[in-house]
Each structure stands twice: as structure tokens, then as C-alpha cells.
Amino acid sequence: MSAVTPPPHHTVPASRRVLAVMVLIPLLAALALWAFAWPATRMAPRDLPLGVAGPAAAAAPLEQRLASHEGAFEIHRYADEAAARTAVQNREVYGVVVATPQGPHLLTASAASPVVAQLLTQAISSQAPPAARAVPVTDVVPTPAADVRGAGFGASVLPLALAGVAAGALVSLSGLRGGRAVTAVLGASVLVGLAGAGLAHSWLGVLAGNWWAAAGVLALTVAAVAAGVAGLHALLGKPGIGLGAFLIVLLGNPFSGAAGAPQLLPEPAGLVGQWLPPGAGSSLLRSVAFFDGAGAAAPTLVLSLWAVLGLTAIALTGRRTAPAHTDPAPVQPSAPTSAVTYS
């Protein structure tokens, strides 16, 4: 029987590999610089939901002054301060300017975004007449005392994104398929959620509200990322991991609006970010931790879609690529060898 010769192994020339490194690394650096620096240097209110409350005669001038900032604010009208407070607590608006006999009174929610609360305070104070007293500000839903500036909350997005990408990549590259891959993704996500809640809620005090709800949001966010990355790998192979990392880390993290608000980012970064797991996860975490779940429906839907679609791709691809169990071929008896006699 002739020996089977293996197919020739085609290697990429060293010169091409050097050229690929020289081109790809600067390209990735440029993409990262664009994704992170562009939104940060273009932050400004764009259709930021803001309320005006009080009698029509007193509230109309306030509304006109705010409307003069074309494209900056999306004005909502409320009858009185009680309705305005409810709107802030339900995450309908970031703040409300209440017209009172003593002058304007600003209601904010620093838990929704400390950056926006500060921006509104400066904007309303700058519009007050020079001789008027300082505009009083009431923080209806404040940030936790341990994270007054919201820096800890904003810094929590990237670790969750990296944990999800790492989980999805490890599940894919370790050869897990089908049900085992799904179990690994869900198990890792649950453990990250519990550990994250223990750190951010119990130890650092960055999060408030129900502990288990915060852990569930963290777990769902990581599951959406991990399932998305592993699902892309199941559909596209190894390039799917790179695509998933690009969408989550290079786009999802800087476009999340966690450090400010989606309405402060240049278009369409704010909208795109809310359709990616980091942005949806940070919005859902704010709702659960500080607003008793108000405004949680949309980000929950986005995260669930990422998780379900990714897990479905993992399960179906694993079932399709599972090796078929065939009966072993019967062993053919070798031909008898003739005896050789020597005289």
C-alpha cells in the first residue's frame, strides 16, 4: 500500500506578516482613538428630556428660554411640582424647572447622571437675572454617598464588557458546543453577576436598591455579551470573536453613555450604544439600582435579544456540527500467507 502524502502546507511569507502587523495595529489604534475620543470631545445636550412645571403664565417664559437652545432640550410640561417629581423619579426627564413665586426651582436626579445634573444646574443658573438669588436645586434621586460623582458606576461598564468577551471567546476556543457551551456561558455569567454585586453593591457602595436585582442585571449583561461573542463565533468562526470584541469593546463601551448620558453623545453614537449590551446594561442597572425599575423595559429587551439570539446560534450550530455516530466498519480478514518450505 502506498503511503498517503499530506497536502502541502501553505505558509504566509514573513514579509506579508510584517506588513499585516504594520498596517493592522495602526488601524486598530485609529479606530480605538476615534471611538473613545470622538464622543468625549463632542459631549453636549441633544434633545435631552427636561421638564417645565408651574402655572402657564409663569412657566411659559422659562420654556421659551430653554427652547432658545435649539436642539438641546426636549421640553415636557407638568402642572405642578408634585407631577414634576414623579416624572423625575420615573426617568421621564433628567430634571424639571419649577416656576414658583420666588423664582425658578430646579429638580434634578444625579443618580440618572451626575454630569447632566451639573449641566442643568449651570444652564438654569446662567439664565437667572444678575440681581436674582441663586436658583435652589433639589436632588430628587441622588447618587450614593460613596459615589457622588458617579465615577464608580461609569467605570463598571468596561470590566463587564471584558468579562463577557472573555467568557464568549473561552467557550468558543475551548471546543465546547451545543448544550455544554450554553451551560458554560450562563454559569459564568451568573457567577460574574454575583461577584460584581458583591463588589459594587456590598463593598464599594456604588449601587443601591435590591442586591439580587443588581446581581441579576450584571449577570444578564455579561450573558448578552458572552452569548453574542460565542454566537458570532458559531456562525462565522474565529473572525466572529474579533467582530464581537469590536462591537462590544470598541463601540459598546465608549458609546454606552454610562459616564454621562446617551443624549450627550454625538449622533448616532448615543442611539447605537443603547442597542449594544454595555449601553443597555448600564441603563438597566441605573433603573434597577436607583429608580425602582422605572425605564427598565427597553434595555431589558435589548439584553434579552442579544442573549437569546446568541445562545440559539450556539445551540443550533453545535447540533449541526455534532459528529454522526456510525457503526464501525467490519474488519476484513487478511489473506492467508502461503507457507514457504525449504528443502
Side-chain angles (χ1 to χ4, degrees):
M1 178 181 294
S2 60
V4 178
T5 58
H9 180 65
H10 299 285
T11 59
V12 180
S15 59
R16 292 189 179 181
R17 283 178 280 166
V18 171
L19 182 61
V21 172
M22 293 175 61
V23 173
L24 290 178
I25 297 303
L27 180 59
L28 288 175
L31 284 173
L33 182 62
W34 165 79
F36 281 83
W38 172 58
T41 57
R42 298 292 188 271
M43 290 185 67
R46 296 172 176 85
D47 292 328
L48 187 74
L50 178 63
V52 175
L62 292 174
E63 186 172 351
Q64 291 175 359
R65 286 199 293 268
L66 293 172
S68 64
H69 301 276
E70 187 174 354
F73 301 111
E74 180 186 276
I75 306 300
H76 297 249
R77 285 284 287 113
Y78 300 100
D80 51 31
E81 183 174 341
R85 285 177 175 269
T86 302
V88 173
Q89 293 168 346
N90 290 338
R91 297 199 73 185
E92 296 176 10
V93 290
Y94 283 91
V96 178
V97 185
V98 182
T100 69
Q102 294 77 26
H105 176 201
L106 178 62
L107 306 179
T108 63
S110 60
S113 171
V115 175
V116 171
Q118 184 179 7
L119 183 151
L120 293 178
T121 301
Q122 294 174 350
I124 301 305
S125 298
S126 64
Q127 292 184 354
R133 64 188 180 91
V135 176
V137 179
T138 300
D139 197 348
V140 178
V141 187
T143 54
D147 190 30
V148 176
R149 298 182 179 179
F153 184 94
S156 65
V157 177
L158 183 58
L160 292 177
L162 293 177
V165 171
L170 286 175
V171 167
S172 302
L173 298 179
S174 63
L176 295 176
R177 297 293 182 268
R180 292 182 177 178
V182 171
T183 300
V185 166
L186 294 179
S189 301
V190 169
L191 292 178
V192 171
L194 295 174
L199 291 171
H201 194 292
S202 302
W203 181 42
L204 297 175
V206 172
L207 302 177
N210 184 272
W211 192 95
W212 290 103
V217 172
L218 296 174
L220 179 58
T221 303
V222 176
V225 175
V229 171
L232 288 171
H233 173 268
L235 297 174
L236 304 176
K238 289 184 179 179
I241 297 177
L243 177 59
F246 172 78
L247 291 174
I248 300 301
V249 178
L250 285 185
L251 291 185
N253 185 54
F255 290 4
S256 67
Q263 293 84 358
L264 297 182
L265 300 177
E267 297 178 354
L271 178 62
V272 171
Q274 294 307 298
W275 281 99
L276 295 173
S282 62
S283 294
L284 180 57
L285 192 58
R286 284 193 191 278
S287 294
V288 169
F290 308 122
F291 295 90
D292 294 329
T300 300
L301 177 61
V302 171
L303 293 175
S304 300
L305 284 175
W306 274 85
V308 170
L309 292 177
L311 293 175
T312 301
I314 298 170
L316 294 181
T317 306
R319 183 176 302 176
R320 186 173 67 246
T321 57
H325 296 283
T326 57
D327 295 331
V331 179
Q332 298 293 334
S334 58
T337 58
S338 58
V340 180
T341 57
Y342 298 92
S343 57

